[in-house]
PDB file of all heavy atoms in Angstrom:
ATOM      1  N   ILE A 200     222.567 -19.064 -19.102  1.00  0.00           N
ATOM      2  CA  ILE A 200     221.781 -18.111 -18.275  1.00  0.00           C
ATOM      3  C   ILE A 200     220.859 -18.870 -17.527  1.00  0.00           C
ATOM      4  O   ILE A 200     219.898 -19.554 -17.930  1.00  0.00           O
ATOM      5  CB  ILE A 200     220.978 -17.207 -19.374  1.00  0.00           C
ATOM      6  CG1 ILE A 200     221.929 -16.397 -20.331  1.00  0.00           C
ATOM      7  CG2 ILE A 200     220.206 -16.209 -18.616  1.00  0.00           C
ATOM      8  CD1 ILE A 200     221.367 -16.193 -21.620  1.00  0.00           C
ATOM      9  N   HIS A 201     221.018 -18.853 -16.200  1.00  0.00           N
ATOM     10  CA  HIS A 201     220.323 -19.634 -15.320  1.00  0.00           C
ATOM     11  C   HIS A 201     218.792 -19.166 -15.340  1.00  0.00           C
ATOM     12  O   HIS A 201     218.473 -17.986 -15.281  1.00  0.00           O
ATOM     13  CB  HIS A 201     220.807 -19.313 -13.815  1.00  0.00           C
ATOM     14  CG  HIS A 201     219.951 -20.001 -12.726  1.00  0.00           C
ATOM     15  ND1 HIS A 201     219.986 -21.355 -12.458  1.00  0.00           N
ATOM     16  CD2 HIS A 201     218.968 -19.526 -11.988  1.00  0.00           C
ATOM     17  CE1 HIS A 201     219.158 -21.638 -11.525  1.00  0.00           C
ATOM     18  NE2 HIS A 201     218.483 -20.604 -11.236  1.00  0.00           N
ATOM     19  N   SER A 202     217.844 -20.005 -15.343  1.00  0.00           N
ATOM     20  CA  SER A 202     216.514 -19.893 -15.488  1.00  0.00           C
ATOM     21  C   SER A 202     215.880 -20.226 -14.243  1.00  0.00           C
ATOM     22  O   SER A 202     215.117 -19.358 -13.526  1.00  0.00           O
ATOM     23  CB  SER A 202     215.920 -20.561 -16.594  1.00  0.00           C
ATOM     24  OG  SER A 202     214.460 -20.482 -16.741  1.00  0.00           O
ATOM     25  N   SER A 203     215.828 -21.431 -13.867  1.00  0.00           N
ATOM     26  CA  SER A 203     215.077 -21.938 -12.705  1.00  0.00           C
ATOM     27  C   SER A 203     215.373 -23.290 -12.278  1.00  0.00           C
ATOM     28  O   SER A 203     216.175 -24.043 -12.880  1.00  0.00           O
ATOM     29  CB  SER A 203     213.544 -22.071 -13.262  1.00  0.00           C
ATOM     30  OG  SER A 203     213.300 -22.967 -14.224  1.00  0.00           O
ATOM     31  N   ARG A 204     215.009 -23.722 -11.046  1.00  0.00           N
ATOM     32  CA  ARG A 204     215.313 -24.990 -10.559  1.00  0.00           C
ATOM     33  C   ARG A 204     214.219 -25.965 -11.223  1.00  0.00           C
ATOM     34  O   ARG A 204     213.042 -25.683 -11.504  1.00  0.00           O
ATOM     35  CB  ARG A 204     215.060 -25.032  -9.046  1.00  0.00           C
ATOM     36  CG  ARG A 204     216.086 -24.276  -8.170  1.00  0.00           C
ATOM     37  CD  ARG A 204     215.701 -24.020  -6.785  1.00  0.00           C
ATOM     38  NE  ARG A 204     214.625 -23.153  -6.518  1.00  0.00           N
ATOM     39  CZ  ARG A 204     214.040 -22.982  -5.427  1.00  0.00           C
ATOM     40  NH1 ARG A 204     214.465 -23.590  -4.281  1.00  0.00           N
ATOM     41  NH2 ARG A 204     212.952 -22.175  -5.386  1.00  0.00           N
ATOM     42  N   LEU A 205     214.683 -27.287 -11.356  1.00  0.00           N
ATOM     43  CA  LEU A 205     213.882 -28.403 -11.850  1.00  0.00           C
ATOM     44  C   LEU A 205     213.618 -29.431 -10.687  1.00  0.00           C
ATOM     45  O   LEU A 205     214.475 -29.511  -9.798  1.00  0.00           O
ATOM     46  CB  LEU A 205     214.575 -29.084 -12.959  1.00  0.00           C
ATOM     47  CG  LEU A 205     214.768 -28.184 -14.189  1.00  0.00           C
ATOM     48  CD1 LEU A 205     215.466 -28.979 -15.401  1.00  0.00           C
ATOM     49  CD2 LEU A 205     213.502 -27.612 -14.786  1.00  0.00           C
ATOM     50  N   ASP A 206     212.414 -29.861 -10.682  1.00  0.00           N
ATOM     51  CA  ASP A 206     212.111 -30.919  -9.651  1.00  0.00           C
ATOM     52  C   ASP A 206     211.102 -31.895 -10.223  1.00  0.00           C
ATOM     53  O   ASP A 206     210.480 -31.642 -11.290  1.00  0.00           O
ATOM     54  CB  ASP A 206     211.518 -30.166  -8.384  1.00  0.00           C
ATOM     55  CG  ASP A 206     211.722 -31.015  -7.119  1.00  0.00           C
ATOM     56  OD1 ASP A 206     212.164 -32.089  -7.285  1.00  0.00           O
ATOM     57  OD2 ASP A 206     211.460 -30.498  -6.066  1.00  0.00           O
ATOM     58  N   MET A 207     210.904 -32.990  -9.526  1.00  0.00           N
ATOM     59  CA  MET A 207     209.875 -33.939  -9.924  1.00  0.00           C
ATOM     60  C   MET A 207     208.543 -33.578  -9.297  1.00  0.00           C
ATOM     61  O   MET A 207     208.476 -33.366  -8.147  1.00  0.00           O
ATOM     62  CB  MET A 207     210.237 -35.389  -9.575  1.00  0.00           C
ATOM     63  CG  MET A 207     211.593 -35.770 -10.210  1.00  0.00           C
ATOM     64  SD  MET A 207     211.432 -36.043 -11.900  1.00  0.00           S
ATOM     65  CE  MET A 207     210.391 -37.499 -11.933  1.00  0.00           C
ATOM     66  N   GLY A 208     207.448 -33.522 -10.138  1.00  0.00           N
ATOM     67  CA  GLY A 208     206.214 -33.133  -9.567  1.00  0.00           C
ATOM     68  C   GLY A 208     205.554 -33.990  -8.632  1.00  0.00           C
ATOM     69  O   GLY A 208     204.763 -33.704  -7.639  1.00  0.00           O
ATOM     70  N   ASP A 209     205.924 -35.437  -8.716  1.00  0.00           N
ATOM     71  CA  ASP A 209     205.419 -36.420  -7.835  1.00  0.00           C
ATOM     72  C   ASP A 209     206.396 -36.725  -6.704  1.00  0.00           C
ATOM     73  O   ASP A 209     206.182 -37.800  -6.229  1.00  0.00           O
ATOM     74  CB  ASP A 209     205.006 -37.665  -8.753  1.00  0.00           C
ATOM     75  CG  ASP A 209     206.262 -38.205  -9.410  1.00  0.00           C
ATOM     76  OD1 ASP A 209     207.361 -37.554  -9.442  1.00  0.00           O
ATOM     77  OD2 ASP A 209     206.096 -39.266 -10.033  1.00  0.00           O
ATOM     78  N   ARG A 210     207.340 -35.863  -6.543  1.00  0.00           N
ATOM     79  CA  ARG A 210     208.398 -36.180  -5.467  1.00  0.00           C
ATOM     80  C   ARG A 210     207.702 -36.243  -4.081  1.00  0.00           C
ATOM     81  O   ARG A 210     206.810 -35.260  -3.784  1.00  0.00           O
ATOM     82  CB  ARG A 210     209.525 -35.176  -5.464  1.00  0.00           C
ATOM     83  CG  ARG A 210     210.471 -35.246  -4.345  1.00  0.00           C
ATOM     84  CD  ARG A 210     211.720 -34.339  -4.457  1.00  0.00           C
ATOM     85  NE  ARG A 210     211.185 -32.989  -4.414  1.00  0.00           N
ATOM     86  CZ  ARG A 210     211.074 -32.206  -3.366  1.00  0.00           C
ATOM     87  NH1 ARG A 210     211.413 -32.792  -2.162  1.00  0.00           N
ATOM     88  NH2 ARG A 210     210.800 -31.005  -3.339  1.00  0.00           N
ATOM     89  N   ASP A 211     208.023 -37.149  -3.355  1.00  0.00           N
ATOM     90  CA  ASP A 211     207.630 -37.291  -1.875  1.00  0.00           C
ATOM     91  C   ASP A 211     208.286 -36.131  -1.028  1.00  0.00           C
ATOM     92  O   ASP A 211     209.450 -36.122  -0.903  1.00  0.00           O
ATOM     93  CB  ASP A 211     207.839 -38.634  -1.326  1.00  0.00           C
ATOM     94  CG  ASP A 211     207.218 -38.826   0.083  1.00  0.00           C
ATOM     95  OD1 ASP A 211     207.387 -37.885   0.925  1.00  0.00           O
ATOM     96  OD2 ASP A 211     206.613 -39.883   0.337  1.00  0.00           O
ATOM     97  N   GLN A 212     207.534 -35.158  -0.646  1.00  0.00           N
ATOM     98  CA  GLN A 212     208.119 -33.906  -0.014  1.00  0.00           C
ATOM     99  C   GLN A 212     208.772 -34.328   1.287  1.00  0.00           C
ATOM    100  O   GLN A 212     209.719 -33.594   1.700  1.00  0.00           O
ATOM    101  CB  GLN A 212     207.019 -32.984   0.282  1.00  0.00           C
ATOM    102  CG  GLN A 212     206.338 -32.450  -0.936  1.00  0.00           C
ATOM    103  CD  GLN A 212     207.257 -31.602  -1.912  1.00  0.00           C
ATOM    104  OE1 GLN A 212     207.983 -30.835  -1.356  1.00  0.00           O
ATOM    105  NE2 GLN A 212     207.182 -31.659  -3.161  1.00  0.00           N
ATOM    106  N   VAL A 213     208.491 -35.530   1.879  1.00  0.00           N
ATOM    107  CA  VAL A 213     209.143 -35.889   3.133  1.00  0.00           C
ATOM    108  C   VAL A 213     210.290 -36.780   2.944  1.00  0.00           C
ATOM    109  O   VAL A 213     211.413 -36.679   3.388  1.00  0.00           O
ATOM    110  CB  VAL A 213     208.093 -36.626   3.966  1.00  0.00           C
ATOM    111  CG1 VAL A 213     208.646 -37.083   5.389  1.00  0.00           C
ATOM    112  CG2 VAL A 213     207.033 -35.509   4.394  1.00  0.00           C
ATOM    113  N   ALA A 214     210.048 -37.930   1.987  1.00  0.00           N
ATOM    114  CA  ALA A 214     211.072 -38.870   1.870  1.00  0.00           C
ATOM    115  C   ALA A 214     212.250 -38.494   0.922  1.00  0.00           C
ATOM    116  O   ALA A 214     213.270 -39.053   1.020  1.00  0.00           O
ATOM    117  CB  ALA A 214     210.327 -40.151   1.424  1.00  0.00           C
TER     118      ALA A 214
END
Side-chain angles (χ1 to χ4, degrees):
I200 300 145
H201 174 81
S202 175
S203 59
R204 291 170 291 176
L205 297 179
D206 207 351
M207 299 293 292
D209 58 353
R210 175 173 63 87
D211 187 312
Q212 299 291 322
V213 176

